[in-house]
Amino acid sequence: MNGICTLANDTVYDQLIALLNSIEVILGLNIPVCIYPFDEQVQQIKSEIVNRPNVFIYEDSASIQRWDKFMQAAAPDRLNRKKFRLYGAHRRFCAFDGPFEKFIYMDADTLAMNSFDAVFDRLNKSDFVVYDFQFTDPTKVYNVSSPKLLQVFDKNRVNSEIFCSGFYGSKQGIFDINTRELLLSHLQSGEAEILYEGAGEQPLLNYMVMKTGMNSYNFARSLPDNQKTGCSVTSKHFQEQDRVLYDKGNRLTYIHYIGVQPDLIRRVCAGENIEFPYRDLFLHYRYLREPEKRPIFTEPLKSYADVSARNLLQRVLRRLRIS
């Protein structure tokens, strides 16, 4: 059985509802969706999915504990809830245990924009399938200043194989116990130093895929230039038609609201008039089932960049205990 996976807790409730609604519209009501619990805070989600028979929360505690222990052994600092906002992000790895033989993982801050048939079809030939341009910036995956990096992976692989962990297709069972133990032995022998420190599970997943040498495929590198599309809200040139985005005439597979923080989304959904890229599209899917609850903005529009800068400053000040 094939299915869609995501990772969420109540903090990203609004993004999750938008994602589920986009899946319902674009992919249909029958495709199963498994939500991996980021942490224990999932009561709001549980109440919502009672009305969504194709959606369920992953409850295999043995699997969850298995990957918690793996992350603890691979990168123990990442589980520090006080230090890392993405302390539970590794639980997406539970998808490699089940429940789907083939799956597509989507971050909660994504929206489906097109059929995923091409991704599932590609999984007949490849073990890992992505569609993004992260390979253009290895600094968000690996510690490029580490002399060990090019001892582990040659430069061509570093510049061509890395990916964003917000959207990928893969298969059940590709990281069995022997593979996990082998990966941990390499990491604990010193290779952990090549991982970028500033992101949750993304560097580790890249390492896992590349170190095992599995057959991976990136549509963004393989499609002809006149067919490939972007996927990130940082691209400002997408055109919307019938609640779907296009890139120079080509329909996007998905859109990733990367960098738009959950707190900002909550504030917008509460009625605060803050700009962010492709906001109307997000709000359409967020309130698709309850349009009467969609916020009506009465205040002047606030710049997303200004709000983000203020939030960053406040976080820095809090860390310095100045405010």
Side-chain angles (χ1 to χ4, degrees):
M1 178 175 64
N2 299 340
I4 307 297
C5 302
T6 190
L7 174 84
N9 64 1
D10 289 344
T11 298
V12 295
Y13 177 81
D14 292 303
Q15 292 100 314
L16 175 66
I17 298 308
L19 170 61
L20 294 177
N21 287 341
S22 75
I23 291 171
E24 181 177 304
V25 171
I26 303 296
L27 306 178
L29 287 165
N30 296 323
I31 189 163
V33 180
C34 179
I35 301 171
Y36 298 100
F38 183 91
D39 58 19
E40 301 77 23
Q41 306 303 314
V42 291
Q43 294 309 310
Q44 196 175 7
I45 292 172
K46 286 183 176 180
S47 297
E48 165 64 26
I49 65 174
V50 168
N51 301 314
R52 297 176 185 264
N54 63 315
V55 182
F56 58 97
I57 292 180
Y58 192 66
E59 295 182 337
D60 186 337
S61 59
S63 171
I64 293 171
Q65 291 173 12
R66 183 182 306 129
W67 286 107
D68 282 355
K69 290 179 180 178
F70 178 85
M71 194 66 178
Q72 180 70 43
D77 284 349
R78 308 286 179 157
L79 301 183
N80 187 333
R81 297 191 179 199
K82 295 181 180 179
K83 186 176 180 181
F84 286 100
R85 181 176 62 86
L86 299 176
Y87 58 85
H90 65 280
R91 287 186 170 181
R92 72 191 67 197
F93 297 167
C94 293
F96 297 116
D97 293 346
F100 307 124
E101 294 179 7
K102 296 178 186 175
F103 66 86
I104 292 173
Y105 171 83
M106 305 179 71
D107 269 352
D109 61 346
T110 61
L111 298 176
M113 290 281 100
N114 203 349
S115 166
F116 291 165
D117 287 350
V119 181
F120 280 120
D121 288 346
R122 186 68 211 183
L123 286 172
N124 293 324
K125 302 176 182 178
S126 304
D127 291 323
F128 203 85
V129 179
V130 297
Y131 195 165
D132 67 78
F133 294 84
Q134 187 65 56
F135 61 86
T136 63
D137 184 11
T139 64
K140 294 300 187 288
V141 171
Y142 291 123
N143 175 10
V144 296
S145 64
S146 169
K148 191 181 290 288
L149 176 58
L150 297 186
Q151 297 172 18
V152 179
F153 303 121
D154 66 52
K155 188 174 182 180
N156 180 61
R157 294 191 69 193
V158 171
N159 291 334
S160 64
E161 294 185 27
I162 65 174
F163 55 87
C164 172
S165 62
F167 179 98
Y168 54 87
S170 193
K171 302 173 182 177
Q172 185 183 76
I174 61 173
F175 291 113
D176 59 23
I177 185 171
N178 293 329
T179 302
R180 296 195 305 272
E181 290 180 350
L182 183 60
L183 287 166
L184 288 176
S185 70
H186 288 298
L187 288 165
Q188 293 169 347
S189 68
E191 293 188 3
E193 78 169 54
I194 74 172
L195 303 180
Y196 168 62
E197 293 185 356
E201 84 314 321
Q202 179 169 287
L204 181 57
L205 183 58
N206 272 265
Y207 175 87
M208 291 161 63
V209 171
M210 291 177 63
K211 189 68 177 179
T212 53
M214 68 176 59
N215 182 357
S216 61
Y217 181 90
N218 189 341
F219 282 97
R221 283 185 52 81
S222 303
L223 288 175
D225 287 344
N226 64 351
Q227 295 181 22
K228 66 182 64 172
T229 74
C231 57
S232 171
V233 293
T234 56
S235 296
K236 300 178 180 179
H237 64 276
F238 299 149
Q239 295 180 322
E240 182 180 334
Q241 181 179 337
D242 298 327
R243 305 301 184 181
V244 169
L245 293 176
Y246 292 80
D247 186 350
K248 299 175 183 176
N250 294 305
R251 185 169 175 170
L252 270 64
T253 299
Y254 69 101
I255 182 70
H256 192 177
Y257 284 80
I258 191 166
V260 183
Q261 297 299 325
D263 179 65
L264 186 145
I265 295 291
R266 284 197 301 270
R267 290 165 63 182
V268 170
C269 291
E272 193 168 348
N273 193 10
I274 307 172
E275 175 191 21
F276 64 86
Y278 308 104
R279 186 181 73 169
D280 286 346
L281 183 72
F282 172 83
L283 291 173
H284 166 76
Y285 285 104
R286 166 61 184 91
Y287 293 100
L288 189 69
R289 286 190 171 197
E290 43 189 8
E292 72 283 357
K293 293 184 179 180
R294 179 169 173 164
I296 298 174
F297 303 111
T298 58
E299 300 176 346
L301 185 66
K302 300 177 184 177
S303 165
Y304 166 69
D306 289 346
V307 172
S308 297
R310 269 197 305 275
N311 289 346
L312 176 61
L313 177 60
Q314 290 170 358
R315 289 198 298 272
V316 171
L317 293 175
R318 282 198 297 270
R319 288 180 183 177
L320 294 174
R321 298 184 179 179
I322 295 174
S323 68

